[in-house]
Amino acid sequence: MPSLIGLFALVRCGANEGGELSPAQVTGVWTGADGGRVEFGADGRFEMSGIPRSAVVFAFTDPPPGEGKLSGGGEWELADGDRSGTVELGFDAGGSFSDDSQSALLEVKETGDRPVLYFAVDPDKEYGYEVRRVRSDE
């Protein structure tokens, strides 16, 4: 997935203003409005469900058609190594994805006790669809 960094350089202009997270801070369950959910594993894998189709911009090919909800999984990593304001997603075939050619970005909006990530949708728009880290005691 390292090639994603160059492809998303323009999208990331002005990004990371919300701070940076470590892999341990990303690992866990994140939820958004209307049942959106992303679970990041410590092993570098993720699963997502209920994410609005309009919330995600993909890097390589045309995204799945429609205005429904996306589901799928794949690999995740921080763009800048040990700490980053960008989480890169590389999708496997399955769920809403017919092949493994799709990738997307999540940017950090807020850090702290319950950090917030958002799907980077439009470089001219400050934030996209948000997911908030679920506390382990919830």
Side-chain angles (χ1 to χ4, degrees):
M1 247 186 341
S3 62
L4 293 179
I5 294 170
L7 292 172
F8 284 115
L10 293 176
V11 173
R12 293 185 61 212
C13 289
N16 299 340
E17 295 171 5
E20 296 181 332
L21 297 175
S22 69
Q25 292 171 301
V26 173
T27 301
V29 176
W30 299 69
T31 59
D34 301 324
R37 184 177 192 277
V38 183
E39 183 170 357
F40 296 99
D43 62 355
R45 303 283 305 159
F46 77 92
E47 292 291 329
M48 72 176 205
S49 61
I51 304 299
R53 165 59 203 93
S54 60
V56 183
V57 170
F58 297 98
F60 297 115
T61 62
D62 292 331
E67 293 296 320
K69 307 277 182 161
L70 296 174
S71 65
E75 295 182 10
W76 73 272
E77 67 181 9
L78 294 178
D80 300 322
D82 292 340
R83 294 190 66 79
S84 182
T86 303
V87 179
E88 299 174 346
L89 306 177
F91 292 91
D92 294 337
S96 300
F97 303 92
S98 60
D99 59 38
D100 64 356
S101 65
Q102 299 288 358
S103 63
L105 295 178
L106 283 164
E107 300 283 350
V108 175
K109 178 180 179 186
E110 298 173 16
T111 58
D113 184 40
R114 293 194 57 205
V116 177
L117 298 174
Y118 66 95
F119 282 90
V121 178
D122 181 344
D124 296 325
K125 182 179 176 186
E126 189 169 3
Y127 300 115
Y129 181 78
E130 297 177 1
V131 290
R132 181 175 296 274
R133 185 142 184 348
V134 175
R135 289 188 184 133
S136 59
D137 59 352
E138 291 183 352

